[in-house]
Amino acid sequence: MKRAYIETYGCQMNISDSELMHGILAEQGFTATDKAEDADVILVNTCAIRDHAEQRVIGRVGQLQQIRRDNPDVVIGVTGCMAQRMGESLLGRAGGVDMVMGPDAYRQLPQKLAEVVARRGPAGRLPMSQSAPAIAARGLAVLGFDPHENYEGVAAKRISAVSAWVPIQRGCNYRCTYCIVPYVRGDEKNRDPQAILDEVRALAADGVPEVTLLGQTVNSYEHGGWNFPRLLREVARVDGIRRVRFTSPHPNDFTRELVEAMAGEPRVCKQLHLPVQSGHNRTLKRMLRRYTVEEYLEKIEWVREAMPGISLSTDVIVGFPGETDEEYEATLHLMRTVRYDDAFLYKYSLRDGTPATRLPAEQFVPDEIGSARLQRLIETHRAIQAEIYQSEVGRTEEVLVEKEGRRGGLQGRTDGNKVVTFEGPVGLIGHFVDVQLTGTSGSTFVGEMAGALAAA
């Protein structure tokens, strides 16, 4: 049997796509391996959101050439958003790539791998005397968009038996001026609700207690007479499912109906990731985010009124072209106002092909100023986060045990998506236990089991 190794970079959607690829390959007799050195096929599933992520991938592909030197038969491919963005130019990079494949082409993966091998000649081997350009000449680029590809009927090979990603949507109809996603994943495509529910029921039957609904703007979901609040309610009512999460919603599609669904369904986790990106209306308008700070804060009020203990997280970009000191300070003020439990904070990264690249050159924020703004934002957030976490020490929380901790013991998450490590037997993995939070690092908790095993 052939062995496949997939290394994943980027968001939850990429993790889910890697599970899809493993499932597609498994149907053709491939087995998964967690060591690149043991693989016949190595796929690097990539992100294109920031330049740093792409540079990491190029460096990693260069490192993988050592495996090619030891095993000339190995096929090295780059898949995902970076592959779609850079296309055939990737074939000759970093010592040689045999195949690049965009996110809508994974059904063709076994066929295209066979084609790569066939292009090498009768032996199926690429002579090591050949250079990266020679490898590229035999390489294969599988790009383009399929307006109907939602991978229905593909059985993903899950990496966890405890929590599962369930994609309900691919692509994006928004055109935020900084974002490459619509140009590498195409327009929004929403799955049939009954197919989604069938998938969730199958997961429940397999004993998976938690699912996360995935989409680029997950709450914009519509299919026939279904909207996202209706889908969320129905998923939460599937027998055997104990927790339901979703990510990432767009503030523009965040409605009172969704708040009511979250608050009214006990199995929907009281945790919300709602990206804000900036705390100033002028910057939001230039980003084409389609909401104002005031509208965003009103929606935060809806949520906290309906679910007072909800855990909130967000995304923020600083240093967007044209951002003034005043606009940056407004973002800091918003962070202090909302007081997020967690936040993913970034400095603007220019992405070729996005509308923001066409802004006047003089508006681009110098790198050193952007870096200083990011550092101050991180410090502000961490101080707030540490205060929130410290205030929760002493509570007893229901924790879904996910795996063994890196430094021993067990690791799990609360309903609010907060990581807790504690001592206990490995047999508790996949179960819910009550854990008293005894200490915090400021971003995670340590705890002690407070009671008997909760009903699974």
Side-chain angles (χ1 to χ4, degrees):
M1 296 180 74
K2 295 288 187 180
R3 293 160 296 180
Y5 170 81
I6 303 178
E7 192 165 292
T8 309
Y9 294 80
C11 67
Q12 299 96 330
M13 188 65 76
N14 273 15
I15 297 170
S16 177
D17 280 355
S18 291
E19 293 180 338
L20 277 174
M21 285 188 279
H22 270 306
I24 290 166
L25 290 172
E27 290 180 353
Q28 300 300 317
F30 283 80
T31 58
T33 177
D34 58 3
K35 292 184 178 179
E37 295 80 6
D38 296 339
D40 302 291
V41 173
I42 299 172
L43 300 176
V44 184
N45 192 18
T46 62
C47 174
I49 291 294
R50 287 171 295 281
D51 180 68
H52 176 69
E54 293 189 346
Q55 294 307 315
R56 282 181 64 203
V57 168
I58 290 172
R60 179 57 175 150
V61 172
Q63 293 171 357
L64 292 172
Q65 300 307 313
Q66 178 59 50
I67 296 175
R68 193 196 295 279
R69 286 188 282 272
D70 296 336
N71 175 18
D73 295 330
V74 72
V75 174
I76 298 176
V78 177
T79 66
C81 296
M82 177 179 170
Q84 184 69 41
R85 192 185 82 81
M86 297 184 68
E88 293 186 9
S89 69
L90 265 174
L91 292 172
R93 298 291 293 271
V97 173
D98 299 293
M99 182 182 70
V100 295
M101 178 173 279
D104 277 4
Y106 299 146
R107 258 184 222 275
Q108 304 174 57
L109 187 53
Q111 169 195 343
K112 296 303 180 182
L113 288 173
E115 190 173 333
V116 166
V117 173
R119 288 187 178 198
R120 292 177 170 185
R125 174 175 295 186
L126 188 63
M128 291 313 300
S129 61
Q130 297 200 41
S131 63
I135 297 173
R138 287 181 171 86
L140 192 63
V142 192
L143 308 169
F145 299 113
D146 182 336
H148 307 293
E149 181 57 271
N150 270 320
Y151 295 102
E152 298 293 7
V154 175
K157 188 173 177 59
R158 309 283 179 179
I159 61 175
S160 170
V162 177
S163 184
W165 308 109
V166 178
I168 69 168
Q169 173 193 81
R170 299 180 71 85
C172 183
N173 285 344
Y174 285 96
R175 294 294 186 269
C176 301
T177 55
Y178 56 82
C179 186
I180 194 68
V181 167
Y183 308 99
V184 294
R185 284 191 172 268
D187 292 336
E188 180 180 306
K189 297 171 285 189
N190 294 309
R191 292 179 61 192
D192 183 279
Q194 295 305 328
I196 295 166
L197 289 169
D198 286 345
E199 182 174 345
V200 173
R201 292 185 190 107
L203 288 165
D206 287 340
V208 176
E210 178 184 84
V211 296
T212 301
L213 306 182
L214 281 183
Q216 298 299 149
T217 55
V218 67
N219 58 327
S220 66
Y221 174 90
E222 287 186 346
H223 193 286
W226 291 65
N227 62 6
F228 183 68
R230 179 181 176 187
L231 179 66
L232 184 64
R233 286 190 179 97
E234 292 301 317
V235 169
R237 295 172 185 176
V238 171
D239 288 342
I241 295 298
R242 285 279 302 273
R243 281 184 180 174
V244 180
R245 304 184 189 275
F246 59 91
T247 197
S248 288
H250 193 291
N252 201 50
D253 298 302
F254 197 84
T255 62
R256 283 192 179 273
E257 183 186 4
L258 178 51
V259 175
E260 291 167 3
M262 292 179 66
E265 295 295 334
R267 295 177 184 175
V268 175
C269 291
K270 303 309 178 269
Q271 170 252 325
L272 174 65
H273 181 77
L274 193 62
V276 67
Q277 306 301 3
S278 174
H280 196 280
N281 287 338
R282 179 175 172 272
T283 304
L284 289 174
K285 186 174 182 179
R286 290 158 66 79
M287 289 178 166
L288 198 56
R289 289 294 289 172
R290 305 171 191 265
Y291 54 85
T292 65
V293 171
E294 293 76 19
E295 290 167 341
Y296 180 92
L297 292 175
E298 181 183 23
K299 295 179 183 194
I300 294 294
E301 287 181 9
W302 297 348
V303 170
R304 282 190 161 147
E305 182 178 294
M307 296 166 282
I310 194 166
S311 176
L312 294 174
S313 58
T314 198
D315 296 335
V316 178
I317 297 171
V318 298
F320 186 75
E323 181 187 67
T324 65
D325 289 340
E326 177 188 355
E327 290 166 1
Y328 170 68
E329 292 292 337
T331 297
L332 289 176
H333 177 71
L334 182 140
M335 296 292 286
R336 297 186 188 108
T337 299
V338 177
R339 294 179 61 82
Y340 295 99
D341 297 72
D342 202 0
F344 300 87
L345 311 173
Y346 308 101
K347 179 177 67 173
Y348 171 72
S349 177
L350 185 147
R351 302 280 74 202
D352 288 339
T354 59
T357 61
R358 299 192 291 271
L359 292 171
E362 63 270 15
Q363 293 184 2
F364 282 76
V365 176
D367 187 67
E368 62 274 14
I369 293 177
S371 296
R373 288 177 179 176
L374 177 60
Q375 184 58 37
R376 187 177 166 208
L377 181 67
I378 290 171
E379 291 170 356
T380 299
H381 163 63
R382 285 180 177 170
I384 293 168
Q385 184 183 47
E387 290 174 2
I388 293 171
Y389 275 57
Q390 189 60 50
S391 72
E392 295 177 355
V393 171
R395 289 185 184 179
T396 297
E397 295 278 355
E398 185 181 63
V399 171
L400 173 57
V401 186
E402 297 177 333
K403 59 185 178 181
E404 294 183 68
R406 291 181 182 176
R407 299 175 183 174
L410 301 174
Q411 178 177 310
R413 290 180 186 269
T414 68
D415 181 272
N417 207 34
K418 294 177 180 178
V419 174
V420 184
T421 58
F422 60 99
E423 293 299 322
V426 294
L428 291 179
I429 293 173
H431 294 279
F432 292 85
V433 295
D434 290 333
V435 178
Q436 184 178 30
L437 309 180
T438 58
T440 180
S441 66
S443 59
T444 62
F445 289 104
V446 293
E448 296 178 355
M449 280 196 293
L453 175 67

